[in-house]
Amino acid sequence: MADNERWLTAHHDPLAALYTFSSCMALADLHGDGEAKLIIADLGTGAYNMKLKVYKGTNLMSENTLIDLPTGVITFHMDTTEPRVPAVAVASGSYIYIYKNLRPYFKFTLPTLEVNPAEFDAWGQARDDLLDVSMLYEILDSLRQEVGECGLTTRSQRFLMCPDHTSQTAFLDQHKGFILKRQTVVTCVSTLKKSHSEDDAISCLVLGTESANIFILDPEAFTILNSMSLPSVPVFLSVTGLYDVEYRIIVACRNGQIYTLKRGTKIGRPTAELTSQPVGLIRRDKTVIVATMDHHLHSFNNKGKRLWCIKLPGAVLCLECLELRTLSLTLVALALADNRVLIYRDKHLVDTIHTEDRVSAMRFGRFGREDNTLVLVLKGGGLVVKILKRTARFDIQDADGPSQGQVVKLNIPKKTKLFVDQTMRERENCVLMHRVFQHDLYRLRLSTARSYVQALETSSNPISLSQTEPLKLSAQVLGLGPTFKLRVELQNTSPSCPSLHLAVIFHCDDRVYSVNKSYIQIPILVPGIIHVAETLLTCVSELGISDTVRVFVVKGKSSRPLLTAVINMPVAEVFMAA
Amino acid sequence: MGVFDKLVFALGLKKREASVLVIGLDNSGKSTMLNHFKSEDQKSTEIVPTVGFNVEKFKARNVGFTAFDMSGQGRYRSLWEHYYHDCQGVIFVVDSSDKLRLVVAKDELDMFLQHPEIRTRRLPILFFANKMDVREAVSSVKVSAALGLERITNKPWHITASNAITGDGLHEGVEWLTNQIKENLNK
Ligand SMILES: Nc1nc2c(ncn2[C@@H]2O[C@H](COP(=O)(O)OP(=O)(O)OP(=O)(O)O)[C@@H](O)[C@H]2O)c(=O)[nH]1
Ligand SMILES: [Mg+2]
């Protein structure tokens, strides 16, 4: 399928130098002029130079510096003032920064968490010089073992990261005077309409935090209207409904579970279990679509029942919902690690976009004056804007209807009486038959296990698993007879210990075979090197029969072999001819 | 005397009708441009996005002049083709400040040129690279390159930068179109 069949490349700037993720991109008409702008929270270098960038069409229109790494950007209406322009909320660290008309307007701080009392005391004593630096380090370190890294305050985490005594002392001196606070950070943001469902109605902010909570914020007072908790850290949110009426929040968590929160609930209800960690979550109508790290795309209904699941051809980098109002269609776009964006309609692949680099972030919506625009940010920092053609359609191509073979009617014979009787019997005695089968299966397993144990006990296996002498033996028979050559290869499979005092012994029925060298001393066996021991073996029986030959590997004077191989000898062909 | 009166005069039309189709993406300035051509008393002070299409008629010296001001919004663009058959000239307006959508304009132009009613006709096309006053606007040469106008070989075409609000460039363009239509009618 050609790339440009459905998508027009409106803009391509390989040097845009953007570093962002889907959650940090938004499209909104920020100025009320009918032209949607692209808002990107740029992570800069990943350590500094973080910016809130706004693109008007192809031009970078404004830049605001961000002081910490952004985790999410969202636009929402927080009041009813005219003109109806949305505010921008940037989640970053423990704060939500609100921008109105692209000017900083308000900063919301997440509530602090309770500090561990032991930790609090330790810092208190350190401040009063009752504890010295190394004592403090020890206390905090043991506390870390106990409650985990996340249970500590950022200050303690930083302190524990200081590499040596002097830097620890410096850190302590610098920080001990301040109050100890434990803060959490925002992991994801979304919006929830307050009491009206119009596009420009006032919305509440919904925040997911590292402390495994969900907060709903009042858009005017910025107070927490509702706080809910989850068993794990939320990473993706999907919110529908109205705060004042009824709402539903579907959350994908870091533990690979999906939870549902509804109006009136305080704790997330487990809804579905994923096969792996989620990489994106989309909600459409009554279904939830989740892509997971094990290359699968799952679809669930609201109750958590799996509707379908497909295997994807590669690792998913990001996920975006394409809502085509003009076609009343909702598609799912998946960016894969092999520089492709696949577009699915339900579980059918309907389009593929090829990019020159991996896509790290995607946003679909109205950009400029074009409704169906897909904005892609590439791994290398490039920015690509694709516009869906007016004439594009996404029909599911049925694999050319049923193939020839399926149309042909098979000549199926009539059911015989025997078949019917058999079926009846199976239907009536199904439980019994199953039991018999299970019984036999268990017996089979038991006898397998017994033989295995026996083999281990008598060391009659060609690989020695003993800790002291890990050895591997393989034997080969060469020649046609009556004289054969037996070739035994011995290998020491231990990583470093050489084996000493080994010998190979050949044992056979002396009425059938005569062995040239039945005892071969093996020199020191260096790990990894294959040592070959060879002997000639002549068949002396006149009956033209063959027998087995046993090869033992023994150590020193021990009477029990380390390992054993049984060789089934071939019939000597020359004898037979005679 | 409005421009369309001039047009009629130049054509020397007697009791004849000439219709022009005005197309282009939404917000490109089609209605603003036509408003500029209207006589003072008919000029509307406020231009709103066109819904469906508007027909602007000008009666001058026994000649009715009809301009179809089509809406450029995506959902109405499918209406354009219904008027291809009856027009003697086409005005294609491009917002030269909307760089993002130049590809969309090109796509629409390609579909227009491929249309069976249009493909074989020697229909004169006038392009306005409108909104030249806007800071981000690109030059008419760039617009021409972005639309791939050099590929149009079987139709007379002309591109001019314009400002539909002040009227700059409109007269030059319409003069060209008048001459083309006149030539065609005299054949
Ligand atoms: N700066 C500037 N603005 C212009 C120009 N031409 C039109 N506009 C503005 O562009 C906007 C849209 O103009 P319209 O004439 O309604 O556009 P249209 O092509 O008729 O749009 P639809 O009817 O929706 O297809 C209006 O706000 C005009 O004032 C121009 O040359 N320069
Ligand atoms: Mg109009």
Side-chain angles (χ1 to χ4, degrees), chain A residues 114-132 135-137 139-140 143 152-153 155-156 172 176 178-181:
Chain A
E114 200 186 319
V115 181
N116 188 304
E119 187 186 356
F120 189 82
D121 289 346
W123 280 98
Q125 287 172 355
R127 185 191 55 215
D128 305 336
D129 293 325
L130 299 173
L131 273 182
D132 69 351
M135 294 262 286
L136 178 67
Y137 187 90
I139 294 177
L140 292 178
L143 198 61
L152 298 178
T153 61
R155 192 198 294 180
S156 303
L172 175 62
K176 65 182 178 191
F178 301 95
I179 315 169
L180 194 61
K181 273 197 280 187

Side-chain angles (χ1 to χ4, degrees), chain A residues 8-11 56 58-59 367 369-370 385 387 389-391, chain B residues 26-27 74 77-78 98-101 103-104 107-108 111 136:
Chain A
L8 303 165
T9 305
H11 180 53
K56 176 183 159 81
T58 57
N59 298 335
F367 183 27
R369 294 183 173 274
E370 204 58 44
V385 181
I387 294 179
K389 280 195 195 185
R390 176 168 64 90
T391 48
Chain B
D26 48 305
N27 199 51
R77 281 180 217 155
S78 51
D98 191 354
K99 273 179 270 182
L100 201 62
R101 293 211 297 166
V103 271
V104 184
D107 188 45
E108 293 296 345
M111 281 193 276
E136 298 100 71

Side-chain angles (χ1 to χ4, degrees), chain B residues 26-27 29-32 47-51 54 69-72:
Chain B
D26 48 305
N27 199 51
K30 300 177 291 294
S31 308
T32 315
I47 310 257
V48 291
T50 312
V51 174
N54 283 329
D69 174 15
M70 306 303 295
S71 167

Side-chain angles (χ1 to χ4, degrees), chain A residues 207-457:
Chain A
L207 315 176
T209 68
E210 191 68 40
S211 58
N213 284 316
I214 299 281
F215 295 122
I216 300 181
L217 298 189
D218 181 88
E220 272 148 321
F222 286 100
T223 48
I224 294 178
L225 290 175
N226 196 357
S227 126
M228 295 167 273
S229 63
L230 291 164
S232 175
V233 181
V235 281
F236 298 105
L237 292 177
S238 153
V239 186
T240 46
L242 296 177
Y243 180 77
D244 289 339
V245 187
E246 180 68 63
Y247 60 84
R248 183 192 283 267
I249 305 175
I250 294 192
V251 197
C253 287
R254 219 175 268 160
N255 63 354
Q257 294 257 22
I258 296 181
Y259 298 93
T260 308
L261 293 156
K262 283 195 212 169
R263 184 184 161 84
T265 55
K266 281 283 169 197
I267 296 172
R269 178 177 63 83
T271 307
E273 192 166 343
L274 301 171
T275 47
S276 175
Q277 268 58 39
V279 287
L281 175 131
I282 284 178
R283 172 75 161 276
R284 39 163 304 205
D285 313 329
K286 291 203 154 50
T287 60
V288 182
I289 294 173
V290 192
T292 49
M293 272 172 71
D294 60 354
H295 310 187
H296 277 92
L297 188 67
H298 308 266
S299 169
F300 299 98
N301 70 6
N302 273 344
K303 298 260 180 321
K305 182 166 175 283
R306 190 191 304 264
L307 301 175
W308 48 262
C309 169
I310 48 172
K311 172 106 178 111
L312 298 168
V316 185
L317 301 176
C318 54
L319 194 63
E320 174 66 347
C321 182
L322 315 186
E323 206 182 320
L324 309 174
R325 294 228 175 120
T326 44
L327 300 177
S328 47
L329 202 66
T330 312
L331 307 173
V332 177
L334 299 159
L336 297 193
D338 57 358
N339 303 357
R340 282 190 296 168
V341 177
L342 304 184
I343 297 175
Y344 282 88
R345 176 174 174 176
D346 293 327
K347 53 180 170 174
H348 305 277
L349 179 67
V350 288
D351 200 6
T352 308
I353 302 174
H354 292 269
T355 51
E356 88 259 2
D357 195 359
R358 283 188 282 167
V359 174
S360 60
M362 277 196 285
R363 206 28 111 200
F364 182 84
R366 184 179 167 90
F367 183 27
R369 294 183 173 274
E370 204 58 44
D371 279 329
N372 300 328
T373 309
L374 183 64
V375 182
L376 307 170
V377 173
L378 305 179
K379 197 100 187 163
L383 176 68
V384 179
V385 181
K386 300 256 180 199
I387 294 179
L388 187 68
K389 280 195 195 185
R390 176 168 64 90
T391 48
R393 295 291 175 273
F394 292 95
D395 295 324
I396 298 168
Q397 296 141 335
D398 273 329
D400 326 298
S403 66
Q404 275 284 294
Q406 278 170 295
V407 182
V408 178
K409 268 227 144 145
L410 288 178
N411 184 17
I412 302 168
K414 270 215 145 89
K415 285 176 190 153
T416 58
K417 184 166 182 311
L418 186 68
F419 175 82
V420 175
D421 287 351
Q422 176 70 7
T423 317
M424 290 303 288
R425 200 172 68 81
E426 281 178 5
R427 205 179 283 169
E428 278 157 17
N429 303 319
C430 54
V431 177
L432 187 71
M433 289 168 94
H434 180 72
R435 268 193 209 135
V436 170
F437 170 76
Q438 286 294 328
H439 182 245
D440 289 352
L441 183 65
Y442 282 130
R443 291 186 71 121
L444 180 66
R445 283 186 186 152
L446 179 66
S447 63
T448 313
R450 272 196 189 135
S451 315
Y452 184 60
V453 168
Q454 197 191 358
L456 285 180
E457 275 171 354

Side-chain angles (χ1 to χ4, degrees), chain B residues 126 128 158-161 167-177:
Chain B
L126 169 63
F128 278 122
H158 181 78
I159 183 163
T160 166
D168 288 346
L170 296 187
H171 295 261
E172 180 208 323
V174 168
E175 214 128 283
W176 175 86
L177 190 66

Side-chain angles (χ1 to χ4, degrees), chain B residues 121-183:
Chain B
R121 281 174 68 190
R122 251 189 77 81
L123 193 67
I125 313 173
L126 169 63
F127 292 92
F128 278 122
N130 197 28
K131 303 202 187 180
M132 63 177 190
D133 55 305
V134 178
R135 195 163 49 89
E136 298 100 71
V138 293
S139 68
S140 60
V141 179
K142 287 227 177 90
V143 172
S144 162
L147 296 183
L149 297 188
E150 72 287 345
R151 297 167 306 149
I152 310 175
T153 48
N154 66 344
K155 292 179 184 53
W157 59 267
H158 181 78
I159 183 163
T160 166
S162 66
N163 177 345
I165 293 177
T166 59
D168 288 346
L170 296 187
H171 295 261
E172 180 208 323
V174 168
E175 214 128 283
W176 175 86
L177 190 66
T178 314
N179 287 335
Q180 290 296 325
I181 294 179
K182 197 160 121 191
E183 258 176 45

